Amino acid sequence: MGDGIGRYRGTESKIAQWLRRRPRKPAADVPSREELLQASAAAGLPLAPAAHPVGYRCSCERIGCPTPARHPLSFAWQTQSTTDPAQIERWAEGQPQANFITATGMVHDVLDVPLEAGRAALERLLAEGVEVGPVAESGDALGGGRALFFTATRGTPEDEDEWWPCELDCHPETMDEHPGLRWHCRGSYVLVPPARLPGDRAVQWVRGPEHPLPDPLTLLEALTDACARHADRYDEHSEHHAVAWPLTR
């Protein structure tokens, strides 16, 4: 596995430069789908194939799929997830339309907030000189978009009361305290860029996987403050609740 990761170090450097500058370049200089996936795997994010959009529907063909193009293909995604470059290459070549998920709670967690709140928090964190890790955006602010802050995992603390499940804001008793925030950790997953969503929306990196994973607690105050300031704009029935991926797939 070490040799495979070394094989992609040149790719990671190109991706890091592209994500920092993001100028208009010829298409040949833009990292490919597989290069982006391999860079995520090289950073330690375990990946597994996921569904993809077919128009406004999901490729799984499930009638009324609640999370179209946002769920793993296999119910065994937790054991299937891997950072092995050869396996990811086989998946990427064999399933050219597939999105990919990354399983959280193994190496990394993801703090998942409404897009507008996430952008405000990121601006604050960078201005304060806080070490922010990889950040992705899903969808758009008008369509229930989300900002995904990738952090080191907290694992399983000895005190289980300190462990926050990813359904953090799904129950009425926690909505007021942590409006709009989900913490994806043990047993959860998120889409990893590049991913396509129904309606020509996408999941893309704002800060790529070359950034070290920070302690989630260093970001939590800024994220919860930003969520609280924007809480009056959220409707509990709006689409943003459909973008946090379920645990049952």
Side-chain angles (χ1 to χ4, degrees):
M1 178 174 165
D3 291 339
I5 290 175
R7 169 186 168 191
Y8 289 96
R9 284 183 177 166
T11 298
E12 289 181 77
S13 176
K14 182 170 71 173
I15 291 169
Q17 294 172 13
W18 175 70
L19 287 165
R20 281 196 297 271
R21 296 196 302 265
R22 302 186 77 172
R24 292 187 177 181
K25 291 184 174 182
D29 289 339
V30 176
S32 69
R33 167 177 173 262
E34 185 178 340
E35 287 175 328
L36 287 168
L37 292 172
Q38 293 288 3
S40 294
L45 310 185
L47 307 181
H52 64 272
V54 179
Y56 285 86
R57 298 180 295 105
C58 183
S59 61
C60 73
E61 299 184 351
R62 175 183 175 186
I63 297 176
C65 176
T67 54
R70 300 182 180 101
H71 61 77
L73 292 178
S74 171
F75 287 102
W77 57 269
Q78 292 188 72
T79 55
Q80 184 185 51
S81 298
T82 183
T83 59
D84 177 39
Q87 179 61 65
I88 291 167
E89 182 178 7
R90 287 192 292 271
W91 280 334
E93 292 180 354
Q95 304 177 67
Q97 299 299 317
N99 288 333
F100 279 75
I101 59 96
T102 178
T104 54
M106 297 179 184
V107 174
H108 70 294
D109 292 347
V110 171
L111 298 175
D112 170 357
V113 300
L115 183 54
E116 189 175 355
R119 288 174 173 173
L122 179 59
E123 183 178 359
R124 170 185 164 181
L125 288 163
L126 293 177
E128 293 176 353
V130 176
E131 293 294 330
V132 181
V135 179
E137 290 187 354
S138 169
D140 58 71
L142 296 178
R146 306 289 291 187
L148 308 175
F149 289 75
F150 288 70
T151 71
T153 186
R154 296 196 69 213
T156 306
E158 292 183 6
D159 183 356
E160 282 292 318
D161 290 338
E162 294 181 3
W163 179 71
W164 287 4
C166 67
E167 309 100 308
L168 186 60
D169 73 345
C170 294
H171 304 293
E173 64 268 24
T174 61
M175 281 294 290
D176 291 338
E177 186 177 357
H178 304 288
L181 171 67
R182 291 186 175 93
W183 191 326
H184 294 270
C185 46
R186 183 178 59 191
S188 189
Y189 57 85
V190 298
L191 287 176
V192 66
R196 296 177 298 116
L197 300 176
D200 294 324
R201 293 179 298 164
V203 183
Q204 57 191 354
W205 289 117
V206 176
R207 289 168 56 86
E210 74 279 1
H211 294 281
L213 296 169
D215 185 322
L217 298 184
T218 64
L219 311 183
L220 192 57
E221 180 180 356
L223 290 173
T224 54
D225 285 352
C227 286
R229 285 197 301 272
H230 292 86
D232 59 341
R233 302 185 184 187
Y234 304 149
D235 176 356
E236 66 176 336
H237 300 296
S238 71
E239 186 183 351
H240 84 266
H241 280 267
V243 181
W245 301 274
L247 302 179
T248 55
R249 293 296 306 226

